[in-house]
Amino acid sequence: MSIPSRILYVNLTDGSSRAETIDPSLPRDLIGGYGINNKLAYDLMPPGIDPLSPENLIIIGAGPFAGTLVPGSAKILITTRFPINGAFATAAAGGSFALMLKSVGYDHVVISGRARDPVFLSLTEEKLELVDAGDLWGMDTYETDDALRSRYEPCSIIPIGPAGENLVKNSITFVDKAGTIGRGGLPAVMGSKNLKAIIVQLGKVPMRMTDRLTFHRLVNRLHDRIMSWPNRQVIQDNGLMPAPPDMSEVHRRTRRPLACPSCPLADKVMVCLDEGPYAGLRTYMPHISAHRFSAKNSTEAYEQSIKYSDALNRYGIGGTNFSGLFYSIVDLYQQGIITREDTGGIELKNDIETALELIRMTAYRKGLGEVLAEGPAEIERLVGERAIGSIAHIKGNAIVRDPRIGGLGTMEFEQMTTPRGAHIAAAGSPSYDPGRPFADFVRHGERMGVSAQALKWLEESGVFNPGRYSKYSEDWYALFNCLSLCNRAQVNRFYHIDTIAALYTAVTGIESSPEELMHIAERAWTIGKLLSVREGFDRRHDHAPVAWFHPLIRSGEEHRITDYDRTTNLTRGDLERFLDDYYDERGYDRVSGLPTREKLRELGLESMAEGLNLPEGR
């Protein structure tokens, strides 16, 4: 017998709310988190809504593993229509929110409408309150978190900063200061609703478990493997992404590891600078992001990097998008391609002072910040033909992994196919590291539950094809999102589809084979795809940026886009053929890049074809 799921609906316009029990068949068909979030978005939001209108919904979901002892089961999922590109997508983060939400008896929260004045939403086991946030409006994300935590601890908080209040499309926020969530404008959606923060306080609703004995046996086995993994101590000492060698000493001295609930790895970090111009600064981050600016030495570069990250975090601005734009426009300015007329009279320098000023201007939409607030696509329009290929983005989000540096693996390729725009979370595979043998890809495919037929084809081909392989990485990621499992490589590596199936049955009581779980994951991914298909997204939007086909110059060395093995330079035609292979592997139409009606019938989603101009078959 499966455990019932509950959903809370909140209308900010009139302050009303209601709770419902989810149809028991829905968790069986879509699991929770990502799958049910997507279905709710598809059913409740009509096509064509403005991302910053009251009609746009914020849908929060926690999967069945959230709140349990399953290692890495802290992920919270938020689905909305993102303002940076108009795509429907789901953002994910760690932190305590998923655990807290379960502790007050809910699996999902749907927020609609717009409050007349600034409020924050406070949820406890007994009640929901919309509380006046006038005293918080104008505070940065950390100040907001601190103010609310002093009133409500123990709790979990998703706040917004000035960027969200000013509807900056290139905004981001955090769960409990450390778990980044909502790149591409979730805070702007919250700001458009006058919603300063969402808080859930720790409740006493127990986690229900169908088979505790089996569950604890499986969890103990996973925990023992993680604790004995040699690289665990490396992460504890250096973080998920170690600082550059010349910054490592000061980083180890000033950092403190942070962990999400149920995570034995502690891969996030708090940094406390103890000397220098920013002495006393305390900030939080998923990992160190090193910048050089015009620093005189490595210690100064490290301190400036921390100050830079802290400013982005406090204002609530997406670092990946902003950093790419900052370096690009400074370079274009120094080449004379853009001038003070373009920048509003500001001289652009590659120094910390310029970076901090542009961050502030972006958060408040002042001067050049008005353009930066809109994201990479708007900057691309500003420079136009004067600098073709200088701004690398896909669907309005700056690229995260550049195939000119590491070759075309799944993380580079999947930036084109994800509905959200350039992103790497959904494309984990052995290609994360250079030079992995082909046997590793076959072994990883088996761990992800790739069908025997597809594995046989993969082995016989003997060639890594990022287009075909990315389909399975995406489905694997969808499964982790449905369950609220962390998909970071250092957690993901310990999970096999057989282990996940056994855990799922032990928690929920629903008997599901590995094949059935991967079928559900593919169904969830496809609904996410259909949300954007309704808005007109198709193959035309899944294109590689022009920048990839121009040489990248670093330290005087020229880099061109190559295959993963770094043996062959690639052309746009090569990437289009990989896209053909991707759509073919998904069962989509190659010409349009759309799911076919035949594919939807196979997934039990044929009713969703209504009103969509989809091809019948391949």
Side-chain angles (χ1 to χ4, degrees):
M1 179 179 179
S2 63
I3 296 170
S5 300
R6 296 180 71 218
I7 182 168
L8 177 67
Y9 293 89
V10 182
N11 187 320
L12 298 175
T13 302
D14 60 17
S16 63
S17 64
R18 73 181 193 278
E20 293 181 359
T21 299
I22 295 176
D23 181 346
S25 66
L26 199 54
R28 290 179 179 272
D29 294 337
L30 289 168
I31 309 183
Y34 179 69
I36 292 179
N37 270 21
N38 282 343
K39 184 65 164 61
L40 289 169
Y42 201 90
D43 291 346
L44 298 176
M45 281 196 272
I49 61 169
D50 185 330
L52 300 179
S53 70
E55 290 73 33
N56 193 14
L57 303 180
I58 297 172
I59 303 174
I60 305 172
F65 287 0
T68 73
L69 295 175
V70 174
S73 58
K75 187 184 285 185
I76 192 72
L77 293 307
I78 301 183
T79 304
T80 192
R81 190 174 189 194
F82 282 80
I84 202 164
N85 55 12
F88 280 95
T90 297
S96 298
F97 202 95
L99 164 67
M100 298 282 185
L101 187 62
K102 292 279 190 169
S103 80
V104 298
Y106 293 103
D107 301 87
H108 298 268
V109 179
V110 177
I111 302 171
S112 63
R114 181 181 188 272
R116 185 180 62 181
D117 300 303
V119 298
F120 63 86
L121 188 158
S122 175
L123 180 61
T124 69
E125 191 176 339
E126 293 80 22
K127 63 181 178 179
L128 175 143
E129 289 184 287
L130 296 178
V131 185
D132 178 23
D135 60 327
L136 302 176
W137 204 257
M139 288 186 179
D140 67 37
T141 60
Y142 289 178
E143 291 168 339
T144 304
D145 188 290
D146 290 341
L148 293 173
R149 202 167 294 280
S150 69
R151 304 180 204 176
Y152 297 109
E153 189 77 329
C155 62
S156 183
I157 303 170
I158 303 174
I160 65 171
E165 295 173 0
N166 292 299
L167 311 186
V168 170
K169 295 178 181 178
N170 179 29
S171 55
I172 198 168
T173 190
F174 304 86
V175 179
D176 304 329
K177 292 186 178 179
T180 56
I181 192 166
R183 176 185 180 223
L186 170 63
V189 175
M190 292 174 64
S192 74
K193 296 180 178 298
N194 274 330
L195 182 61
K196 179 62 176 176
I198 307 167
I199 310 164
V200 59
Q201 299 175 54
L202 181 64
K204 297 181 180 179
V205 175
M207 274 302 302
R208 292 158 294 182
M209 196 77 58
T210 300
D211 184 349
R212 290 186 179 274
L213 184 63
T214 299
F215 173 80
H216 285 294
R217 184 170 65 250
L218 292 166
V219 166
N220 288 342
R221 191 179 304 156
L222 281 167
H223 189 267
D224 289 345
R225 288 180 60 210
I226 295 171
M227 294 299 288
S228 62
W229 183 43
N231 283 340
R232 177 180 177 272
Q233 193 58 50
V234 175
I235 292 173
Q236 295 273 301
D237 294 340
N238 300 285
L240 175 63
M241 296 179 66
D246 62 330
M247 299 183 187
S248 60
E249 182 179 347
V250 63
H251 185 51
R252 280 195 293 268
R253 188 184 76 242
T254 59
R255 70 178 292 277
R256 300 291 183 274
L258 296 174
C260 298
S262 81
C263 180
L265 293 170
D267 57 6
K268 293 180 173 60
V269 62
M270 176 179 72
V271 175
C272 303
L273 295 182
D274 52 8
E275 58 186 31
Y278 311 116
L281 184 151
R282 174 183 293 183
T283 197
Y284 305 79
M285 57 190 71
H287 53 76
I288 175 69
S289 180
H291 301 269
R292 298 291 172 176
F293 298 115
S294 54
K296 300 180 183 66
N297 54 59
S298 57
T299 298
E300 186 174 279
Y302 177 79
E303 292 167 348
Q304 291 181 0
S305 295
I306 300 304
K307 177 62 177 178
Y308 174 76
S309 294
D310 181 71
L312 288 168
N313 294 351
R314 287 179 177 274
Y315 283 114
I317 294 172
T320 301
N321 279 340
F322 184 88
S323 296
L325 292 178
F326 174 74
Y327 290 119
S328 294
I329 63 174
V330 168
D331 185 54
L332 293 173
Y333 182 85
Q334 292 176 348
Q335 292 180 53
I337 295 173
I338 61 175
T339 66
R340 287 197 181 209
E341 184 178 346
D342 297 302
T343 67
I346 297 176
E347 182 180 2
L348 298 183
K349 300 178 181 179
N350 183 21
D351 59 25
I352 185 64
E353 292 78 17
T354 302
L356 294 177
E357 178 61 12
L358 287 179
I359 290 171
R360 185 194 66 80
M361 292 172 67
T362 301
Y364 292 102
R365 288 184 169 270
K366 301 294 185 182
L368 182 59
E370 182 72 43
V371 182
L372 291 168
E374 295 293 300
E378 191 63 26
I379 290 290
E380 185 177 51
R381 282 189 283 272
L382 172 69
V383 301
E385 294 185 358
R386 290 176 291 173
I388 293 175
S390 61
I391 309 296
H393 72 90
I394 300 172
K395 302 185 185 83
N397 272 318
I399 62 169
V400 186
R401 298 263 297 199
D402 195 321
R404 292 173 292 180
I405 298 298
L408 189 70
T410 54
M411 300 181 84
E412 292 79 11
F413 174 84
E414 202 268 344
Q415 294 176 102
M416 297 190 293
T417 58
T418 179
R420 188 175 177 182
H423 208 260
I424 60 170
S429 81
S431 68
Y432 179 81
D433 298 314
R436 296 287 289 271
F438 184 72
D440 285 359
F441 290 89
V442 177
R443 186 163 50 250
H444 185 71
E446 188 274 333
R447 186 167 66 83
M448 293 192 298
V450 176
S451 70
Q453 180 180 355
L455 274 177
K456 184 174 184 295
W457 178 90
L458 185 65
E459 286 187 275
E460 290 176 350
S461 72
V463 177
F464 169 64
N465 182 318
R468 294 196 181 277
Y469 205 93
S470 288
K471 183 268 185 195
Y472 301 103
S473 292
E474 289 173 343
D475 289 349
W476 186 238
Y477 171 75
L479 179 63
F480 274 57
N481 270 2
C482 287
L483 297 166
S484 280
L485 268 179
C486 176
N487 197 52
R488 284 186 164 183
Q490 72 276 13
V491 175
N492 184 323
R493 71 187 310 278
F494 292 101
Y495 283 93
H496 189 284
I497 185 59
D498 292 343
T499 303
I500 290 176
L503 281 167
Y504 182 66
T505 299
V507 171
T508 66
I510 300 173
E511 293 283 348
S512 293
S513 68
E515 293 77 16
E516 288 170 331
L517 284 182
M518 293 314 301
H519 189 71
I520 291 170
E522 184 179 9
R523 183 183 294 135
W525 178 270
T526 301
I527 297 174
K529 174 75 172 178
L530 290 174
L531 279 164
S532 287
V533 168
R534 284 197 315 187
E535 305 302 328
F537 286 83
D538 57 24
R539 179 168 180 155
R540 292 170 297 174
H541 301 87
D542 293 351
H543 60 80
V546 173
W548 282 3
F549 305 101
H550 289 256
L552 177 67
I553 309 298
R554 283 197 175 178
S555 303
E557 187 175 347
E558 185 175 278
H559 300 269
R560 294 182 180 273
I561 183 171
T562 71
D563 62 0
Y564 168 70
D565 294 321
R566 309 292 286 163
T567 59
T568 306
N569 288 339
L570 300 179
T571 66
R572 183 172 289 280
D574 293 322
L575 266 70
E576 290 297 322
R577 283 186 286 276
F578 283 135
L579 278 172
D580 286 343
D581 292 339
Y582 169 81
Y583 299 130
D584 183 66
E585 200 71 18
R586 276 229 166 269
Y588 293 0
D589 176 62
R590 286 186 176 191
V591 176
S592 64
L594 300 179
T596 64
R597 293 175 182 271
E598 177 186 0
K599 185 64 181 180
L600 296 189
R601 285 193 292 271
E602 175 192 321
L603 294 172
L605 301 175
E606 56 269 25
S607 64
M608 290 188 166
E610 186 177 344
L612 297 178
N613 185 23
L614 299 178
E616 178 59 36
R618 288 185 284 174

